[in-house]
């Protein structure tokens, strides 16, 4: 029993970290524009497809020597972060920015449209002839992401006792990478000029503009950073789950958005907390209620939180702007 | 502001409406378009079969239009109410259960069940701000889908409840309808006229509603909730009425859908994408516009079920033989087509292809003035 609970804790925390990385992108954009970027999950999905393409092209396998593996992996993470950040920035520049003064429904619907387009691109990408994509026969099928990290169980050696727990290097990688990135983001938002500008814009865009802040630039930077986080999350997710699919952005995006709302949307530590809560709830409900009920449990929690505590766990109660 | 019901627009609408109705009434017996397409491309098509789906989908679009278009409630889970209607129809008609009230009974019970679900969901959540409501309804849609899928004792899970019996009609009438085509043609035409009848009834009701006190309340609320409340309207009650009413109509559409398929279908049919497709209909046609909603349904299903398979077959013919490549099938491009359509519409024509005059005025007023 103790082993089961500890194991679900590990699974929940690692899953929660991935949710949190994606949730940060939602929450940062919402905090500034009050706009749900429905396409964010699909940017995450396309970054995972890029990661698989790079793994195939660079021929990374479990046999790759550790030093080379680490260097290649770092390269893939950077490439995916740049790609996803750039894509997210370009979408904002081309699609959302012209709609800043339009009624609220307009950017939301556009984001749904962009999400459709990206999913379709993912479908076509999945039909590519590369061996890692299954040779192009089954474009819509889930793609296996190879296990490139060593599969040694570290639990026994780390805790020094005999245990049935499984703790793989990839679990540690997920947690380590996520913590480092979140700390970096926190430092950026708290202690740099750009971060200060972002906080000011989130508080009141008009006042920020009057103070000489280039709001368009700040929004662009927000999309860029949010996208880059999704890019890192995509690599981490692919290494951890080992399966990617052109519709994975939709489901994981919704969960990540739920995490952002649970933590209090617009609130950066809230997104991390929400991600961890959601990851843990998911792990324990899969174990004790059944995986087939997973969406019902998670969205049920979302509805209950929104009805009884609409501001989320950490959010302050803001009144709707009239 | 343009006058809401001036003589001229009303007459023009009446004339257009009558012509469209006459064509649709005659179509099963005079499928001119089928002949035309077959003569031009050599591909056999059955438009009347698709028109049944357009009527049902149009009804669903009108239901969502009450919630989003009239009351301004952003609803992203309309498929859930559609599914409740379909599932209620299944439970009260199939042999597995003792009720077996037939279609006519189901057509009464399905809206009641869906409307009740709308009340239950709406009462605690409608006070939430706009985009939170969107997320709650989205979540409700997902929860409903998963519940229907997993409560196998009641819903038969992925198999769906079936067979749902055909609507009962006097045998003489049924034979007349079938004509030379026999029983299956008779069944198709029964569904065709039943769905068309429901759609026409709904359109007439909405036309009357738009001219009435209740309809003006919806508009007042959507335009400016604060001002409406100051004039003595109770926003919470009006919102709830619109939400439950739209849910009930979606339930009726679900009942027709299940009857047409003769099964409640796999619960995964009623997913988020389905809800979004209905919303796309409204946005492409024009939010708050009856004609727009129906035009949207026609365009969307026309593209999906008629144009896209036809184009695929033509492309395959042109390149010679079947190509299994993912990009060779036109239906695999559908999400790009819809996505681009949505993005372009929002940028260049946010009022939709066939907007109501009021919404058009609003949008052009706001884009001209200061933000």
């Amino acid at each position: 029993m103790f082993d089961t609970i500890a194991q679900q804790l590990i699974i929940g925390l690692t899953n929660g970290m991935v949710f949190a990385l994606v949730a940060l992108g939602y929450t940062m954009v919402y905090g500034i524009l009050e706009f749900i970027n429905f396409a964010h999950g699909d940017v995450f999905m396309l970054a995972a497809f890029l990661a698989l393409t790079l793994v195939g092209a660079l021929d990374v396998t479990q046999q790759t020597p550790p030093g080379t593996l680490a260097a290649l992996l770092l390269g893939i993470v950077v490439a995916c972060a740049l790609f996803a950040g750039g894509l997210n920035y370009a979408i904002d520049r081309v699609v959302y920015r012209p709609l800043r003064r339009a009624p609220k429904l307009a950017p939301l619907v556009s984001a749904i449209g962009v999400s459709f387009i990206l999913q379709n691109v993912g479908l076509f990408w999945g039909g590519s002839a590369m061996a890692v994509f299954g040779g192009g026969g089954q474009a819509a099928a889930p793609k296996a992401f190879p296990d490139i990290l060593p599969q040694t169980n570290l639990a026994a050696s780390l805790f020094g006792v005999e245990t049935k727990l499984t703790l793989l290097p990839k679990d540690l990688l997920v947690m380590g990478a996520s913590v480092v990135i979140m700390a970096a983001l926190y430092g950026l938002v708290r202690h740099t000029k750009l971060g200060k500008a972002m906080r000011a814009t989130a508080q009141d865009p008009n006042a920020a503009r009057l103070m000489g802040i280039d709001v368009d630039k700040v929004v662009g930077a927000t999309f860029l950073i949010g996208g880059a986080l999704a890019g890192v999350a995509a690599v981490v997710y692919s290494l951890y789950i080992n399966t990617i699919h052109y519709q994975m952005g939709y489901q994981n995006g919704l969960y990540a958005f739920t995490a952002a709302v649970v933590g209090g949307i617009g609130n950066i530590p809230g997104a991390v907390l929400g991600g961890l809560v959601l990851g843990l709830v998911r792990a324990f409900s899969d174990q004790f209620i059944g995986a087939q009920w997973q969406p019902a449990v998670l969205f049920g929690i979302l509805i209950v939180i929104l009805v009884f505590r609409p501001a989320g766990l950490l959010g302050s109660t803001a009144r709707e702007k009239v | 502001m343009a006058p809401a019901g001036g003589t001229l627009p009303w007459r023009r609408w009446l004339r257009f409406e009558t012509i469209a109705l006459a064509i649709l009434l005659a179509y099963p017996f005079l499928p001119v378009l089928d002949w035309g397409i077959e003569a031009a491309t050599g591909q056999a098509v059955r438009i009347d079969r698709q028109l049944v789906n357009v009527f049902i989908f149009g009804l669903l679009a009108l239901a969502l239009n009450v919630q989003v278009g009239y009351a301004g409630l952003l609803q992203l889970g309309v498929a859930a109410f559609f599914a409740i209607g379909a599932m209620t129809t299944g439970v009260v008609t199939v042999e597995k259960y003792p009720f077996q009230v037939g279609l006519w009974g189901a057509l009464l019970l399905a809206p009641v069940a869906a409307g009740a679900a709308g009340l239950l969901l709406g009462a605690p959540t409608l006070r939430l701000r706009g985009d939170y409501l969107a997320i709650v309804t989205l979540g409700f849609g997902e929860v409903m889908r998963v519940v229907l899928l997993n409560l196998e004792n009641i819903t038969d899970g992925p198999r769906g409840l079936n067979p749902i019996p055909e609507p009962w009609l006097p045998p003489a009438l049924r034979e007349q309808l079938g004509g030379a085509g026999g029983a299956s043609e008779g069944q198709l035409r029964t569904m065709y006229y039943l769905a068309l009848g429901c759609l026409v009834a709904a359109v007439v009701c909405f036309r009357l509603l738009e001219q009435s006190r209740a309809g003006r309340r919806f508009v007042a609320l959507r335009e400016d909730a604060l001002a409406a409340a100051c004039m003595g309207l109770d926003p919470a009650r009006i919102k709830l009425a619109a939400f439950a009413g739209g849910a009930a109509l979606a339930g009726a559409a679900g009942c027709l859908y299940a009857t047409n398929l003769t099964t409640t279908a796999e619960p995964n049919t009623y997913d988020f994408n389905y809800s979004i497709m209905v919303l796309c209909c409204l946005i492409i046609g024009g939010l708050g516009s009856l004609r727009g909603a129906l035009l949207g349904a026609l365009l969307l299903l026309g593209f999906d079920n008629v144009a896209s398979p036809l184009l695929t077959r033509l492309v395959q013919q042109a390149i010679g033989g079947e190509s299994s490549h993912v990009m060779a099938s036109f239906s695999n491009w559908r999400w790009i087509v819809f996505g681009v359509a949505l993005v372009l519409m929002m940028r260049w024509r946010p009022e939709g292809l066939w907007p109501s005059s009021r919404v058009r005025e609003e949008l052009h007023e706001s884009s001209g003035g200061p933000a």
Side-chain angles (χ1 to χ4, degrees):
Chain A
M1 190 64 195
F2 172 78
D3 276 351
T4 319
I5 290 179
Q7 189 68 60
Q8 295 309 322
L9 267 176
I10 295 176
I11 294 176
L13 284 177
T14 29
N15 257 325
M17 290 290 187
V18 178
F19 285 152
L21 282 178
V22 184
L24 283 168
Y26 281 104
T27 229
M28 285 164 61
V29 166
Y30 192 93
I32 292 185
L33 296 177
E34 297 207 344
F35 149 62
I36 303 170
N37 182 9
F38 261 103
H40 190 71
D42 300 294
V43 171
F44 162 77
M45 176 271 296
L46 283 184
F49 273 65
L50 178 68
L52 182 54
T53 310
L54 289 175
V55 164
L58 299 172
D59 199 24
V60 188
T61 61
Q62 237 168 339
Q63 278 72 48
T64 316
T68 329
L69 181 67
L72 286 176
L73 209 52
L74 193 65
I76 291 175
V77 169
V78 171
C80 287
L82 287 177
F83 166 75
L87 180 63
N88 215 24
Y89 176 82
I91 293 170
D92 170 59
R93 185 71 191 75
V94 176
V95 181
Y96 307 143
R97 197 194 279 186
L99 300 174
R100 290 275 197 269
R101 287 167 176 223
K104 250 184 156 179
L105 192 62
L108 188 72
V109 171
S110 294
I112 293 174
V114 173
S115 153
F116 284 173
I117 297 173
L118 297 185
Q119 274 188 38
N120 216 148
V121 170
L123 177 67
F124 288 159
W125 198 335
S128 92
M130 278 178 78
V132 280
F133 283 99
Q138 294 272 311
K143 312 291 171 198
F145 197 96
D147 247 325
I148 53 180
L149 292 173
Q151 297 294 301
T152 38
N153 189 356
L154 304 172
S157 55
L158 266 180
F159 302 131
V161 281
E162 218 33 56
T163 163
K164 272 182 264 158
L165 281 182
T166 328
L167 183 67
L168 299 175
K170 64 182 185 182
D171 295 322
L172 293 182
L173 177 89
V174 172
M175 296 198 220
S178 310
V179 169
V180 168
I181 285 180
M182 287 166 195
L185 179 71
Y186 189 78
L188 176 99
V189 172
R190 279 286 137 199
H191 301 296
T192 65
K193 217 169 172 182
L194 175 64
K196 206 175 205 175
M198 285 164 78
R199 281 180 287 136
T201 312
Q203 237 175 41
D204 189 335
N206 284 328
R209 195 173 278 123
L210 289 173
M211 299 300 127
I213 293 173
D214 185 344
V215 170
D216 276 337
K217 215 180 241 173
V218 171
V219 172
T222 309
F223 273 92
L224 191 73
I225 295 169
L229 292 175
V232 177
V235 182
V236 170
Y237 174 94
S238 310
L239 285 173
Y240 181 64
I241 306 283
N242 296 121
T243 311
I244 65 173
H245 187 246
Y246 78 102
Q247 283 175 327
M248 74 187 216
Y250 150 72
Q251 181 100 54
N252 288 291
L254 281 184
Y255 286 169
F257 182 77
T258 304
V261 171
V262 167
I265 190 142
N267 184 315
I268 289 179
V272 177
L273 179 69
L276 293 180
V277 168
L278 218 68
L280 287 172
V281 168
R282 183 169 108 149
F284 282 97
S285 90
D286 279 4
Q287 175 74 25
F288 296 108
I289 303 178
Q292 77 271 27
W293 288 98
Q294 189 192 88
V297 171
L298 294 189
F299 290 121
I301 289 175
L302 173 72
I303 294 178
V304 170
I305 291 209
L306 278 182
V307 169
F308 292 105
R309 201 177 152 75
L313 297 174
L314 294 188
S316 56
T317 18
R319 295 198 45 190
E320 188 164 11
K321 289 176 193 163
V322 180
Chain B
M1 280 286 128
T7 344
L8 196 62
W10 164 247
R11 263 211 204 135
R12 196 184 293 151
W13 159 260
L14 195 67
R15 211 199 279 150
F16 169 78
E17 195 181 39
T18 335
I19 295 172
L21 184 60
I23 294 175
L24 289 176
L25 279 174
Y27 199 83
F29 296 94
L30 270 178
V32 218
L33 206 54
D34 297 21
W35 298 334
I37 293 178
E38 195 163 352
T41 65
Q43 306 278 356
V45 287
R46 283 297 300 270
I47 306 273
D48 51 354
R49 212 161 271 185
Q50 299 307 331
L51 278 174
V52 180
N53 295 327
V54 172
F55 299 153
I56 295 171
F57 208 67
L59 212 52
L60 186 58
L62 289 181
L64 188 65
N65 189 41
V66 180
Q67 302 172 329
V68 186
Y70 288 171
L73 303 164
L74 185 53
Q75 221 272 66
L76 295 181
V78 73
F81 300 106
F82 192 60
I84 292 173
M87 211 47 80
T88 311
T89 306
V91 169
V92 300
T93 57
V94 292
E95 281 168 18
K96 184 181 164 191
Y97 290 104
F99 313 110
Q100 296 177 30
V101 297
L103 172 77
W104 304 110
L107 204 47
L108 282 177
L109 290 172
V112 171
L119 275 181
L120 282 181
L121 177 69
T125 57
L126 286 181
R127 63 188 170 80
L128 293 174
R129 45 194 289 181
D131 31 10
Y132 277 22
L133 180 71
I135 296 302
V136 166
T137 51
L138 186 163
F140 177 70
E142 287 295 290
V143 171
M144 187 51 70
R145 178 177 68 81
V146 172
V147 167
L148 292 181
L149 202 56
N150 290 329
L151 287 181
E152 291 206 33
N153 304 336
I154 301 172
T155 65
D156 276 0
R159 277 161 292 143
L161 288 168
N162 59 64
I164 292 175
E166 308 175 34
W168 184 88
L169 281 183
L173 180 61
R174 176 174 298 263
E175 237 162 69
Q176 264 324 195
L177 271 175
S184 72
E185 203 68 9
Q187 191 187 349
L188 172 65
R189 287 182 184 163
T190 311
M191 273 321 292
Y192 183 93
Y193 288 110
L194 177 67
L196 181 59
C198 290
L199 186 65
V200 170
V203 169
V204 170
C205 287
F206 283 127
R207 250 354 250 198
L208 294 174
L209 179 77
E210 281 179 3
Q211 316 279 327
S212 74
R213 228 181 134 88
R216 288 200 300 275
R217 279 188 193 147
F218 286 140
V219 177
L221 179 75
R222 186 193 62 205
E223 302 286 302
D224 193 333
L226 198 62
C230 293
M231 299 315 255
L233 298 180
D234 180 355
R237 259 181 69 181
I238 300 172
K239 279 186 190 172
L240 194 58
F243 196 73
L249 187 58
C255 170
L256 292 177
Y257 179 78
T259 312
N260 188 35
L261 283 181
T262 71
T263 167
T264 54
E266 216 235 336
N268 279 335
T269 315
Y270 311 101
D271 61 357
F272 175 61
N273 275 342
Y274 204 90
S275 301
I276 290 294
M277 292 306 282
V278 186
L279 188 66
C280 285
C281 276
L282 290 190
I283 285 166
I284 290 172
L287 265 181
S289 150
L290 295 177
R291 293 167 292 182
L294 299 182
L295 177 72
L298 185 71
L299 285 179
L300 221 80
L301 288 189
F303 174 83
D304 248 5
N305 297 350
V306 183
S308 160
L310 197 68
L311 279 170
T312 303
R313 269 180 282 163
L314 289 177
V315 168
Q316 304 256 355
Q317 251 175 20
I319 57 178
E322 304 268 302
S323 165
S324 63
H325 194 269
V326 55
M327 291 167 99
S329 165
F330 201 76
S331 56
N332 282 336
W333 290 80
R334 72 189 284 248
W335 295 108
I336 286 196
V337 172
F338 291 152
V340 169
L342 284 184
V343 169
L344 293 181
M345 291 287 297
M346 282 301 112
R347 182 80 175 83
W348 306 111
R349 205 178 158 81
E351 72 269 30
L353 292 177
W354 204 354
S356 68
S357 49
R358 190 191 299 271
V359 173
R360 182 167 28 201
E361 297 258 327
E362 244 167 66
L363 281 165
H364 285 279
E365 200 179 322
S366 70
S367 65

